[in-house]
Amino acid sequence: MWLGFVFIACGTGGPELASGTSVSQGEPQVFGAAQAVAAADLDGDGFDEEILIRAGVVHWSGGEEAIDCTVQVTARRTLGTGGQEEAILGCGTGRETRDAPARILSVSASGVSTLWSRDGERNQFSDLRILNDEIWVAVFSSKFEVEAGWIREGAFEQVSVGRLATQQYPLVGSQVLQGRVYGEAPRSPGDLRVVGSKGERLLPTWRGVRSLQVADLNGDASPELLVGDGWHYAYAEQARARVLLLEGPQWVEGRTLGFFPDDYSIRSIEVLGDGILAVGTRHVHWLVRDELGWSSTPIAQLSETDLATVMTTPGGPGVLVSGSPARWVPIP
């Protein structure tokens, strides 16, 4: 069972670029091989720089630095008021770093720094988000248990924990959304629920949940839930990728925005303006509203071990994906 986690191979779109070279055209660009990628506006000019991780070395505009862990999830965070950002990397064990601890790293214009580190039973991140400029992570604490909480001043402040609850999102008070790939029994379907001090409330989903996003899509101040569900333990044969919309504020009614039979999982969901970017196991999909509801377009291919992230350039927004080679592909 592969449970690699995120936060695009296509036709050759241009000459190979070195790390730190800005993408200036709204056409696909090739960067050369990278095992992981991230993006952030490191210099505050309004456009992102690519961050490429190659053979255990982080490359960014103006520098490079070795790390002894495998990057599993990425995010970005604003630094101060000057428009500069830092990339946040969650890294741990991998094929080449089996003894690595779980680490949260910051990549900024000044270099790479460690914000938090822990060596546990299973050093694997399943989620990383920046919420109100704070770092929220979900990380395995044992073979089956995933705990979620805040990284603050070099410490982990646990908020919730759940069996294979790889997606967790904090709500008002002590409540947390928990999306599970499996249930309590081995090979049983996962689910989505609101967990709090007063009990649990099950939300409608189809089998296991691999990705989760919270966003106000209709401007009514009641956020909707976007859920990547359809996971199955026989994932290569029976799992089916779907993006489900649960209407706010109660999240009891939903409709399918996209069904992707060529992908067996949606690994991450991001809202960009009026569109939705869904990263699957074989394709990156762009969803937009049309007269019939929502339509989807596959904009690139990728493998189940590749990482993909949004990267804004002078040529417009696009998706940067790891692989051999890594590539930037524009969003339509």
Side-chain angles (χ1 to χ4, degrees):
M1 175 189 66
W2 169 255
L3 280 179
F5 300 96
V6 186
F7 145 310
I8 304 175
C10 62
T12 55
E16 180 170 319
L17 302 178
S19 178
T21 302
S22 297
V23 176
S24 60
Q25 299 176 347
E27 300 178 355
Q29 302 288 332
V30 178
F31 288 86
Q35 290 75 50
V37 294
D41 185 0
L42 301 179
D43 57 11
D45 67 351
F47 304 113
D48 295 335
E49 285 73 50
E50 72 277 1
I51 299 166
L52 309 178
I53 296 87
R54 295 170 168 156
V57 178
V58 181
H59 300 261
W60 71 97
S61 178
E64 61 181 52
E65 188 168 332
I67 58 174
D68 59 351
C69 53
T70 297
V71 176
Q72 299 160 344
V73 288
T74 70
R76 68 173 73 202
R77 182 169 65 168
T78 301
L79 293 173
T81 60
Q84 288 182 299
E85 295 179 333
E86 61 181 339
I88 306 296
L89 313 180
C91 64
T93 56
R95 291 184 178 91
E96 307 299 327
T97 58
R98 297 185 182 278
D99 297 325
R103 287 197 180 102
I104 297 293
L105 304 178
S106 165
V107 182
S108 66
S110 58
V112 179
S113 60
T114 299
L115 303 181
W116 176 76
S117 179
R118 181 180 73 185
D119 194 5
E121 181 179 339
R122 182 175 177 180
N123 296 320
Q124 182 180 6
F125 291 92
S126 61
D127 200 9
L128 169 62
R129 303 172 189 266
I130 304 301
L131 303 174
N132 296 322
D133 287 330
E134 291 197 278
I135 300 172
W136 171 269
V137 301
V139 58
F140 280 85
S141 56
S142 65
K143 184 177 181 180
F144 298 111
E145 295 295 314
V146 181
E147 58 181 349
W150 305 101
I151 303 295
R152 289 169 172 161
E153 298 182 353
F156 175 71
E157 298 180 10
Q158 186 199 85
V159 175
S160 64
V161 63
R163 178 181 171 85
L164 292 171
T166 58
Q167 296 292 292
Q168 302 189 44
Y169 191 99
L171 301 173
V172 176
S174 63
Q175 291 187 324
V176 176
L177 280 167
Q178 288 191 354
R180 307 194 299 173
V181 287
Y182 298 114
E184 296 298 326
R187 298 184 174 183
S188 61
D191 53 38
L192 178 64
R193 60 188 64 205
V194 179
V195 179
S197 58
K198 296 182 180 180
E200 300 181 354
R201 179 167 67 96
L202 192 66
L203 302 180
T205 58
W206 178 44
R207 301 196 306 225
V209 171
R210 281 293 306 275
S211 54
L212 176 67
Q213 191 58 264
V214 180
D216 183 7
L217 296 179
N218 55 14
D220 64 355
S222 297
E224 282 72 50
L225 299 187
L226 293 165
V227 185
D229 60 5
W231 181 258
H232 190 278
Y233 75 88
Y235 59 95
E237 291 81 27
Q238 299 189 44
R240 297 293 183 270
R242 182 179 75 157
V243 173
L244 170 70
L245 169 67
L246 294 176
E247 300 282 355
Q250 296 300 315
W251 306 324
V252 295
E253 295 183 358
R255 54 197 172 101
T256 300
L257 299 191
F259 181 71
F260 311 102
D262 292 334
D263 291 80
Y264 57 79
S265 175
I266 295 298
R267 295 182 293 156
S268 67
I269 301 171
E270 186 165 356
V271 177
L272 296 172
D274 293 330
I276 298 171
L277 193 73
V279 178
T281 48
R282 297 189 178 101
H283 303 87
V284 177
H285 303 274
W286 178 241
L287 287 75
V288 293
R289 291 183 175 92
D290 62 17
E291 62 274 11
L292 298 178
W294 289 81
S295 62
S296 63
T297 303
I299 61 174
Q301 295 179 334
L302 78 171
S303 77
E304 64 183 40
T305 59
D306 286 327
L307 295 184
T309 186
V310 174
M311 178 176 165
T312 300
T313 75
V319 178
L320 177 67
V321 67
S322 61
S324 298
R327 297 169 185 263
W328 180 87
V329 178
I331 294 173

